[in-house]
């Protein structure tokens, strides 16, 4: 209940929420994904209550960013940089990454 209240407060305050792997299921259970595009670890889609399940590995919809799992953690991190600091900064980080 404390986590739910914290998440609701953050979303209502316009703060960003990032969730990867099975964590988006918590957002779904809290009702925060209704009508939003989201993704999670395969098999948890049924608990993303009200979400529009994306085929993308990383999804940003409004102030909620979700990702499929550990295998896309670098892309998830870059999406967080993009959302917080802009596309130019995200591209700069990508160029400095080992996988770019």
């Amino acid at each position: 209940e404390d986590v739910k209240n914290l998440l609701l407060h953050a979303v209502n305050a316009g703060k960003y929420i990032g969730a990867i792997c099975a964590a988006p299921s918590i957002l779904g259970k809290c009702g925060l994904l209704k009508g939003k595009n989201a993704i999670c670890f395969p098999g948890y889609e049924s608990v993303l209550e009200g979400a529009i399940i994306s085929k993308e590995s990383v999804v940003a919809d409004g102030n909620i960013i979700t990702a499929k799992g550990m295998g896309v953690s670098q892309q998830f991190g870059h999406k967080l940089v993009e959302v917080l600091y802009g596309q130019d900064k995200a591209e700069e980080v990508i160029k400095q990454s080992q996988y770019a």
Side-chain angles (χ1 to χ4, degrees):
E1 198 61 32
D2 289 340
V3 171
K4 180 178 180 178
N5 290 334
L6 180 63
L7 288 169
L8 291 171
H9 175 74
V11 168
N12 290 332
K15 304 294 182 189
Y16 288 101
I17 303 292
I20 188 171
C21 200
S25 65
I26 296 167
L27 304 180
K29 290 286 186 182
C30 292
L32 297 174
L33 297 178
K34 291 180 180 161
K36 292 196 173 279
N37 293 293
I39 192 63
C40 62
F41 189 79
Y44 284 80
E45 295 87 355
S46 65
V47 289
L48 300 187
E49 297 173 15
I52 302 162
I53 307 301
S54 176
K55 295 184 190 280
E56 300 294 321
S57 296
V58 179
V59 181
D61 191 340
N63 58 339
I64 296 182
I65 302 100
T66 55
K68 201 169 197 172
M70 177 183 71
V72 298
S73 58
Q74 282 188 306
Q75 294 94 323
F76 180 61
H78 290 133
K79 179 57 78 176
L80 294 173
V81 172
E82 178 186 328
V83 166
L84 295 171
Y85 299 103
Q87 182 66 32
D88 290 342
K89 188 63 165 179
E91 288 176 13
E92 179 184 328
V93 170
I94 289 169
K95 287 179 185 173
Q96 294 174 359
S97 308
Q98 292 180 4
Y99 80 95

